[in-house]
Amino acid sequence: MIMGYTHYWNFKKNPKDCKNGSKKFAKAVKLLKKCLAKVPAEIEVETYDWKNNTTNKVKVPFILKGGNGEGEPKFTNELVCFNGDASMDYDHETCYIALDTDNDFDCCKTARKPYDVAVCLTLLCFKKTFGEDFSYSSDGDIDNEGWKMAHCIFNEIV
């Protein structure tokens, strides 16, 4: 997998202190669950062959796990916490967004591993529900596999 690929986000203030923050958070999580249900069981990701200095696309299973790459992911009205599957080396950094957080800036390095599409969907869903109170950026753009799939799924749902 290609390393060093990160998504960034921030809330203008603690999400629970935003106007209707608790309701917006719950709405974002509900929308995210709908989107995640549309992700295919297998997705295409890029791998990098260091020996030949080339990239390849391969199909791999889409599996979300808990924050440490094991157990169940959490999608509640107060918390989003997930990672890729550590048993397959598809985990990297935890995607963690909490309703009650004082972090005004956060990030998640996915290294373009299969759960990248879930992080992209998370950012799209939170932006949709929190509007100006939430912003995100990414090392990637619409041409990257995770963003392509995330935008297709998101646009189908909303």
Side-chain angles (χ1 to χ4, degrees):
M1 301 291 162
I2 299 169
M3 307 303 278
Y5 182 83
T6 307
H7 304 287
Y8 313 86
W9 64 88
N10 71 297
F11 287 93
K12 283 188 178 177
K13 54 187 168 185
N14 189 313
K16 72 176 174 71
D17 295 333
C18 295
K19 184 177 181 183
N20 298 317
S22 294
K23 287 182 182 179
K24 286 180 180 177
F25 199 97
K27 187 176 179 179
V29 173
K30 183 177 180 180
L31 178 58
L32 177 57
K33 287 178 179 179
K34 286 173 96 174
C35 290
L36 290 172
K38 295 285 187 178
V39 178
E42 283 192 333
I43 61 173
E44 196 169 75
V45 297
E46 286 185 357
T47 60
Y48 189 75
D49 181 345
W50 292 97
K51 183 178 178 184
N52 297 314
N53 197 27
T54 58
T55 58
N56 301 303
K57 291 184 179 182
V58 296
K59 286 203 172 209
V60 297
F62 175 72
I63 301 170
L64 294 181
K65 294 290 188 171
N68 65 353
E70 300 172 347
E72 294 298 314
K74 293 182 180 163
F75 299 100
T76 72
N77 291 343
E78 297 179 351
L79 177 70
V80 169
C81 181
F82 65 89
N83 203 326
D85 187 352
S87 71
M88 301 176 78
D89 194 30
Y90 291 155
D91 64 318
H92 210 67
E93 291 183 357
T94 302
C95 181
Y96 181 90
I97 301 178
L99 173 63
D100 188 11
T101 182
D102 290 327
N103 291 347
D104 57 350
F105 173 81
D106 215 333
C107 63
C108 178
K109 184 182 292 187
T110 65
R112 291 186 176 98
K113 292 188 177 184
Y115 77 106
D116 182 69
V117 66
V119 176
C120 295
L121 283 167
T122 300
L123 300 178
L124 291 171
C125 291
F126 274 85
K127 180 63 179 171
K128 174 74 175 169
T129 57
F130 277 88
E132 292 179 10
D133 289 326
F134 182 83
S135 62
Y136 70 87
S137 62
S138 176
D139 290 345
D141 57 33
I142 192 65
D143 292 329
N144 296 104
E145 295 301 321
W147 279 114
K148 275 187 208 176
M149 183 180 293
H151 278 287
C152 286
I153 292 169
F154 184 78
N155 291 334
E156 179 184 322
I157 300 288
V158 294

